[in-house]
Amino acid sequence: MHLSKIWFFLVTVVAAIAITIALVMPRPAERAAALQESKSVRSACQIANILLRDNARARIQLTAEFAQAVRELKLSTTLFEASKGEIISGQTNATGRKELTKLLNSVSGTKPSFIWLLDRQGRVVARSNLNDKTYGDSMRGYYLVKDALDGYVRDDLWMLEDGLYRVAGAPVLTRDLQWAGAIVLGQAVDGDFAASLGENINANINFYVGTDVVASSKPVQIHKDIVAGSKQLSELKSGDDCALGDVLKVAAGKERFAAVNSRLPGEAGAQGGFFSVYINRPEPLNFMGTLKAAKKDDLGFDRFPWILVALLFVGLMGIGFALMFIEVDKPLKRLNSEAVALAQGEKERFAEEAHRSKYGSIARSVNISIDKMQREAKAAKKDLDQLLGPAPASSQSMVSSALPPVGPGGDLGGIQAPPPSEFKFGAPNADLGLTPPPPAMPGLTPPPAAMPGLTPPPAAMPGLTPATSLTPPPPANKPSGKPPSADKTPPPLPMAGKAAAVDEGPKMNRPTDSLVVPEPVALPDAVTPKLSIDDDILAPPPLKAAGGEEFPTVVSDSAKYFEQIYEEFIAMKERCGESTDNLTFERFSKKLQKNKDALIEKRACSSVKFQVYEKDGKAALKASPVK
Amino acid sequence: MTVTGKVELPVVAQRAPSPKRGQGFVPRAKNPVRPPDGLNPLAQVVIVLSDGPVDASDTKPRSSRYNIIGENFESEILPVVVGGKVEIKNMGLKAPRLYSTFADDVVPSDPINKKGVRVTKAITEIHTPIDIRDHESVHFLAHVVAFEHAYFAVPDHSGRFEITGVPAGNWKVKVWYRDGWVTNLPKISVSVAGKRAPKAIKVALPAKLKTTATKAAKKDAAQ
């Protein structure tokens, strides 16, 4: 019974494991993808820094070449002379612009955004391409200009009014190597530059100063997130931005990016300048993402083990069905066929050993119920036998010996058996002068007068407990007769030696612990003379009278009348469903005679009329004096 | 009387390199044609006469003009008489927004347009450099230092200086460099007497300048 459950559990466990694997499986790939993505973007950032440094060196070189060219053009002399004056003259400015224009025209490739010629004091002698008409203002404040005037070549990043510039400066010497001034070249950081740099690093790049984006290679709105992520840069050491900075996950609409920020150097860097390198992120490789990524080819027969999967499916299902058949279907079928046979009467009970587990339990329960009903039937029959006597035989001795008049101590010693309970004419010891009931046994209350047709309850049987009732048994139920009413039928007699534990038949008033003696049934006063029944009509006649005499027999002249009454009584009993097995005419007539004689003597009537009637579902006799 | 002189710098070989001022993508490199001359402190030097007969009128606070000539002031340091104010005029092309880390109310913070003037509050702290910066610029920086009297001068780019209205008497020559008195300078004195101008003072700065500020900083660091 358990193999199918175990199989079900195993299949469920396998299914759960398979689902877990399916859900978890993409995660390593996703982590690997995220790691690769992180590596890629960091690598792109570092390459961007390298390229920017290379570009700076190239610009420094270019600036130095420009300085050399200025020296060769004798422009340096102009600068040297201008340095001595209080102000820069217009003439000096004109000369400087003219020479610068020549220089610019001679540059092939990408031209600088601006060129400044500065005198020894750092004042602008001439500008080219950027406010080229202004001059005389001092640029000495710039760190790059100070260094250039001091004799250094260097680069820097400046945030000017119209944008971010990569600048380079170099000192200008006269031909005799006198410090004449300095030259500054500037190149804009614009979209073209960002796009060009992005192509080289195979990523996108944006340049920011503070919260403003100054150049970007791709027009995507990710600036807010990028700027927010740049706050983390202050916690890093210089040079660790690309390697250790957070990889930011940003999105613009449906596009997702991974970005890394890196601080810019120079004066722009001091003003919060940084650049951000970002790459496109692929779709997440979660379970659904993996499913979406699957192609038709992935499910082809050459790549996917369809046959194995089908065989596994069929095998698992087959095993499950087989176990279910063995453990459920087959035993149930067996139990069902046996139940049908039981119902059809082919069997009396289930064969418990043929059924296992719950089915065996069902069979046992049914068998227990069958046994119980059989016991109840036997007990009911036994009680009836006890009440009505054993199975009828034709001899009087069997009838007469049905209930020997013995008491608890043995022979009653001449005490007459109580009269039939149904054949009563009133309360005991009535004024009609009939023989009163025999005195009760010491310690016992007298049992009630027995009903006609019923065997009187035995006097207290040895072994009876106080809880035992001495009330007369209920009449035996015939299949055709109507059952006795539950509230009027006296409770059954207890089994000999046992407490009253039998629970069969209709509900009856249960006896209490005390000896309950039912009320004697009385006929109405107008009809019922106050007589006591001195004998049960079915009880065996006492062997001897009180004086030792034999009891008289029935007088023959009333035989016919008595026979008629007898037949009527029998018919009534049969109608009432009572047993008539022990009711012989001889006994019946003797009884009638006796009562007739007693009534005549008491009432001084000429005769007695008997009537058969039904009382409480039982046949009863009524005796009426005739004057 | 006018006292003149010249500040002489040490030979190039003995000079310390000029201080590093920021860095671009690559570090600065020496010009291959002619190497740098080294540190030139002249822009931050003030020659001051002390321990002489100070005329009371020369201690009165007075306004001093300080011009912005572009991306910087005309000099990196401006000496003033204590209690005096500074008039800042913008002769450059931009509109700086000035501030000082010394105190919030030293200088007005609204933008100074071209040819505009802003006046600082009276400088009452003596011998204390008060910085003036620009919100829009990282490099824009100058210092204002107050002295007891007006007998001071800032050398020009060639090192020459001139102190006018010096009362007759014997004076000691002191050099203020950046944020403190130069302490490793040989004693220089000048006598101002009669109608003849005294001889030009030669102030030879050592290769490495030690100042009172340097000493205090070292002491703080040691503590």
Side-chain angles (χ1 to χ4, degrees):
Chain A
M1 196 80 181
H2 299 296
L3 285 177
S4 59
K5 288 179 185 172
I6 293 169
W7 182 251
F8 174 70
F9 171 75
L10 287 174
V11 170
T12 310
V13 166
V14 168
I17 291 170
I19 291 170
T20 304
I21 291 171
L23 291 172
V24 167
M25 194 63 81
R27 291 194 184 176
E30 195 173 337
R31 273 198 297 276
L35 191 64
Q36 185 57 40
E37 176 185 284
S38 171
K39 279 184 183 174
S40 297
V41 73
R42 290 186 193 285
S43 174
C45 178
Q46 286 165 338
I47 293 171
N49 269 319
I50 292 169
L51 291 176
L52 287 168
R53 281 198 292 272
D54 288 346
N55 180 263
R57 290 192 191 96
R59 285 184 287 110
I60 291 170
Q61 180 64 31
L62 179 64
T63 306
E65 288 171 3
F66 263 78
Q68 178 66 22
V70 167
R71 185 152 69 90
E72 288 172 0
L73 286 173
K74 299 181 185 178
L75 191 53
S76 61
T77 308
T78 306
L79 295 178
F80 184 81
E81 295 302 325
S83 303
K84 296 175 184 176
E86 288 287 326
I87 58 170
I88 304 295
S89 67
Q91 182 63 35
T92 305
N93 171 257
T95 306
R97 275 195 294 116
K98 185 180 170 185
E99 297 300 326
L100 274 181
T101 304
K102 283 184 191 173
L103 271 174
L104 268 175
N105 292 337
S106 67
V107 172
S108 59
T110 306
K111 292 183 181 352
S113 300
F114 64 84
I115 304 175
W116 295 345
L117 275 175
L118 308 176
D119 69 357
R120 189 78 184 103
Q121 296 180 47
R123 296 176 297 186
V124 175
V125 171
R127 284 186 169 94
S128 172
N129 293 356
L130 190 70
N131 293 328
D132 55 344
K133 289 187 178 177
T134 58
Y135 60 94
D137 50 318
S138 174
M139 294 291 119
R140 192 183 180 85
Y142 282 113
Y143 298 147
L144 177 140
V145 171
K146 276 185 186 169
D147 278 343
L149 294 173
D150 284 346
Y152 293 95
V153 293
R154 61 167 284 179
D155 76 295
D156 208 328
L157 275 167
W158 291 350
M159 186 64 192
L160 301 178
E161 285 179 351
D162 55 345
L164 182 64
Y165 289 87
R166 297 161 290 143
V167 291
V172 174
L173 295 161
T174 61
R175 284 194 173 189
D176 54 353
L177 301 181
Q178 297 288 322
W179 299 113
I183 186 167
V184 177
L185 265 64
Q187 282 174 312
V189 177
D190 54 11
D192 292 337
F193 173 71
S196 171
L197 184 58
E199 280 177 18
N200 286 320
I201 63 175
N202 201 24
N204 293 300
I205 187 165
N206 290 355
F207 289 91
Y208 300 81
V209 176
T211 59
D212 300 323
V213 54
V214 294
S216 61
S217 61
K218 183 170 182 171
V220 286
Q221 293 299 320
I222 55 172
H223 308 309
K224 198 174 174 185
D225 296 328
I226 296 292
V227 169
S230 68
K231 294 188 174 84
Q232 179 249 348
L233 292 172
S234 58
E235 300 167 10
L236 300 171
K237 284 183 185 176
S238 175
D240 289 343
D241 295 359
C242 290
L244 301 179
D246 292 343
V247 176
L248 308 172
K249 306 286 192 294
V250 297
K254 290 185 180 179
E255 285 189 286
R256 297 163 0 110
F257 304 98
V260 168
N261 296 339
S262 179
R263 284 168 286 192
L264 288 170
E267 291 198 18
Q271 289 175 299
F274 66 95
F275 69 86
S276 181
V277 173
Y278 54 100
I279 58 175
N280 282 80
R281 294 180 65 206
E283 286 292 322
L285 283 176
N286 53 18
F287 180 69
M288 292 309 296
T290 307
L291 276 183
K292 282 181 189 173
K295 296 178 184 173
K296 201 174 175 182
D297 291 342
D298 295 332
L299 294 173
F301 268 94
D302 54 339
R303 288 192 177 186
F304 193 80
W306 282 111
I307 296 173
L308 188 64
V309 168
L311 284 174
L312 188 67
F313 174 75
V314 169
L316 289 173
M317 205 163 63
I319 293 171
F321 280 143
L323 287 173
M324 276 188 64
F325 176 76
I326 292 168
E327 292 188 349
V328 178
D329 294 339
K330 201 171 163 188
L332 196 59
K333 190 178 173 186
R334 195 185 311 131
L335 186 70
N336 181 53
S337 60
E338 208 164 325
V340 168
L342 187 71
Q344 289 174 350
E346 294 169 12
K347 286 194 176 185
E348 287 186 355
R349 54 191 293 114
F350 280 103
E352 294 172 17
E353 63 283 353
H355 305 284
R356 291 185 183 177
S357 186
K358 294 286 184 278
Y359 305 108
S361 176
I362 293 170
R364 278 189 292 279
S365 299
V366 171
N367 285 347
I368 288 170
S369 179
I370 291 171
D371 290 343
K372 190 177 174 184
M373 283 196 290
Q374 285 178 349
R375 280 198 300 275
E376 285 172 5
K378 280 183 187 172
K381 191 178 175 216
K382 193 170 180 183
D383 288 342
L384 197 61
D385 286 346
Q386 280 186 335
L387 290 171
L388 301 179
S394 53
S395 63
Q396 173 69 22
S397 63
M398 287 181 68
V399 174
S400 62
S401 63
L403 288 173
V406 294
D411 191 353
L412 287 173
I415 297 172
Q416 291 181 342
S421 60
E422 291 177 350
F423 198 62
K424 294 181 183 175
F425 297 103
N429 299 321
D431 55 353
L432 292 179
L434 292 180
T435 310
M441 291 295 287
L444 293 174
T445 56
M451 304 282 278
L454 293 176
T455 314
M461 301 290 284
L464 287 177
T465 64
T468 308
S469 167
L470 292 179
T471 54
N477 286 332
K478 284 189 178 177
S480 55
K482 66 175 183 181
S485 59
D487 55 344
K488 296 204 175 150
T489 309
L493 278 177
M495 301 294 284
K498 293 182 185 177
V502 178
D503 182 19
E504 64 262 357
K507 293 281 183 186
M508 301 174 190
N509 293 323
R510 290 289 169 196
T512 60
D513 289 340
S514 61
L515 289 171
V516 175
V517 177
E519 290 289 329
V521 177
L523 291 174
D525 288 339
V527 179
T528 309
K530 306 285 183 186
L531 294 174
S532 63
I533 304 297
D534 58 356
D535 194 5
D536 180 33
I537 195 166
L538 296 179
L543 295 176
K544 290 184 181 179
E549 301 169 351
E550 293 286 339
F551 280 110
T553 57
V554 175
V555 179
S556 62
D557 60 349
S558 56
K560 281 190 180 176
Y561 180 66
F562 285 169
E563 192 176 339
Q564 181 192 342
I565 298 299
Y566 172 74
E567 287 173 359
E568 288 178 4
F569 191 71
I570 289 290
M572 181 58 76
K573 280 188 83 68
E574 286 176 352
R575 212 167 26 250
C576 293
E578 295 179 83
S579 173
T580 57
D581 292 343
N582 293 332
L583 184 62
T584 60
F585 174 71
E586 194 174 334
R587 288 175 63 198
F588 185 77
S589 61
K590 276 186 184 175
K591 184 68 182 175
L592 284 187
Q593 185 62 48
K594 190 175 176 184
N595 281 285
K596 177 182 173 183
D597 295 341
L599 192 60
I600 290 171
E601 185 179 344
K602 193 165 186 179
R603 286 288 185 95
C605 56
S606 62
S607 181
V608 174
K609 178 182 174 186
F610 291 97
Q611 286 176 306
V612 176
Y613 71 102
E614 182 187 340
K615 184 178 178 183
D616 297 334
K618 294 177 187 167
L621 277 171
K622 182 166 69 176
S624 308
V626 176
K627 297 285 186 185
Chain B
M1 196 58 70
T2 300
V3 174
T4 60
K6 186 178 179 186
V7 178
E8 288 183 351
L9 298 175
V11 295
V12 171
Q14 293 176 348
R15 294 182 197 175
S18 56
K20 284 187 180 177
R21 310 171 189 104
Q23 182 180 311
F25 287 104
V26 293
R28 69 181 183 184
K30 293 177 183 176
N31 181 29
V33 178
R34 176 179 165 178
D37 288 347
L39 174 65
N40 185 344
L42 289 177
Q44 297 180 66
V45 164
V46 180
I47 307 297
V48 182
L49 299 178
S50 68
D51 298 338
V54 176
D55 192 323
S57 62
D58 293 328
T59 63
K60 286 182 183 176
R62 60 199 72 181
S63 287
S64 304
R65 171 63 62 87
Y66 207 8
N67 292 328
I68 297 172
I69 57 171
E71 292 295 324
N72 49 274
F73 281 96
E74 56 193 346
S75 64
E76 291 184 33
I77 193 163
L78 177 70
V80 297
V81 177
V82 64
K85 294 181 182 180
V86 178
E87 285 184 3
I88 298 173
K89 186 170 183 178
N90 182 14
M91 304 297 289
L93 301 177
K94 293 182 180 178
R97 289 192 302 123
L98 303 179
Y99 73 99
S100 173
T101 62
F102 182 81
D104 291 338
D105 57 349
V106 166
V107 61
S109 60
D110 56 323
I112 308 175
N113 292 329
K114 191 175 174 184
K115 301 287 173 60
V117 175
R118 296 288 183 272
V119 180
T120 69
K121 73 167 190 180
I123 308 300
T124 55
E125 289 77 17
I126 198 167
H127 302 160
T128 303
I130 296 173
D131 63 321
I132 299 178
R133 300 172 187 267
D134 178 13
H135 281 293
E136 310 298 333
S137 170
V138 174
H139 54 262
F140 195 96
L141 176 62
H143 289 94
V144 175
V145 184
F147 297 98
E148 301 91 336
H149 49 71
Y151 311 133
F152 46 71
V154 175
D156 61 14
H157 64 275
S158 63
R160 290 188 171 79
F161 63 88
E162 188 177 279
I163 304 173
T164 60
V166 179
N170 295 320
W171 297 89
K172 286 184 182 173
V173 178
K174 292 174 77 174
V175 177
W176 176 274
Y177 171 62
R178 207 163 55 188
D179 50 4
W181 297 106
V182 177
T183 56
N184 56 342
L185 199 66
K187 287 183 182 176
I188 305 170
S189 57
V190 61
S191 287
V192 177
K195 294 181 183 177
R196 284 182 70 181
K199 201 176 176 183
I201 303 169
K202 199 183 281 183
V203 179
L205 293 179
K208 196 171 181 183
L209 291 170
K210 292 179 183 177
T211 67
T212 50
T214 312
K215 222 183 220 179
K218 277 185 181 174
K219 196 178 175 184
D220 289 342
Q223 287 177 350

